[in-house]
Amino acid sequence: MQALSTLFTEDANCKSFQIRLILLLVLFFFNKYKMCNGCVQKEYPDRGSICLENGSYLMNYRGCAQCHHRDFVMICNKDAEDDDGEEIVTYDHVCKNCDHVIARHEYTFSVVDEYQEYTMLCMLCGKAEDSISVLPDDPRQTASLF
C-alpha cells in the first residue's frame, strides 16, 4: 500500500507520475495473468500421448495458492485459431473462487504428410504429443513387423 501512496503524491512531476503509473499497470497485469507453480503438484508433468483439447487435469491440482480453496477449475479466455492448417487452442485454467490464473493451456493439431499431429503444453495438464496415421494401416507399424 505504501507503493500506491508514493505513486499518487502531489509533488510528483507529470513524467515521473506517468512512469510510475505504467509500472503499476505492468505489475498488476503480470501478477494477474502469470501462471502459478504453487497451485500444481508437479509442473508440466509428462502425459505421454494424452493431449487435451478441453478440460483440466485435476489430479495435478493442489489447490489455489491465492485463496487456499480446492474447488472446480474454470476455463476462461478460450481462443481457437487456424494458422496455415495448424489449429491452435489456448485457454486459461482459473480458480472458481478468486479468478486466480493457475495455468495457460495450449493445444495444437495439424496434419503433416499422412499423419495427424497433436501437442499439448500446460503447467497443470502437462506436456504430451501424439501422431496418428490418416491411412487405414499405419506405415510405421507395418514397417516394424518385417
Side-chain angles (χ1 to χ4, degrees):
M1 250 357 206
Q2 190 173 2
L4 284 176
S5 65
T6 58
L7 177 65
F8 295 106
T9 57
E10 289 183 28
D11 61 340
N13 64 29
C14 185
K15 190 170 188 168
S16 104
F17 174 78
Q18 290 173 341
I19 292 171
R20 288 179 185 166
L21 184 60
I22 290 169
L23 287 174
L24 181 65
L25 291 172
V26 167
L27 286 173
F28 171 76
F29 181 80
F30 178 74
N31 285 330
K32 182 165 177 58
Y33 294 105
K34 70 178 183 175
M35 294 184 290
C36 180
N37 61 355
C39 297
V40 298
Q41 293 180 26
K42 182 177 180 183
E43 293 181 29
Y44 302 100
D46 185 7
R47 299 293 303 281
S49 62
I50 300 172
C51 298
L52 303 175
E53 180 180 0
N54 201 356
S56 304
Y57 182 46
L58 296 178
M59 294 294 293
N60 193 36
Y61 182 51
R62 178 182 293 161
C64 181
Q66 187 168 323
C67 71
H68 307 290
H69 285 98
R70 190 173 194 280
D71 209 340
F72 292 107
V73 175
M74 296 188 316
I75 293 175
C76 296
N77 304 322
K78 189 169 185 176
D79 184 39
E81 58 185 63
D82 194 356
D83 185 27
D84 292 331
E86 181 178 47
E87 179 185 351
I88 303 170
V89 177
T90 57
Y91 56 87
D92 294 331
H93 296 285
V94 177
C95 174
K96 174 186 165 196
N97 297 304
C98 68
D99 294 329
H100 175 70
V101 177
I102 298 160
R104 180 94 173 138
H105 189 102
E106 182 176 298
Y107 166 86
T108 62
F109 167 78
S110 62
V111 177
V112 179
D113 296 327
E114 297 172 344
Y115 295 94
Q116 295 176 336
E117 303 284 336
Y118 302 88
T119 63
M120 175 184 73
L121 184 64
C122 176
M123 186 183 294
L124 175 65
C125 298
K127 57 185 175 186
E129 55 185 38
D130 196 10
S131 178
I132 300 171
S133 175
V134 296
L135 301 173
D137 295 320
D138 190 346
R140 293 176 296 191
Q141 302 216 353
T142 57
S144 65
L145 295 175
F146 297 106

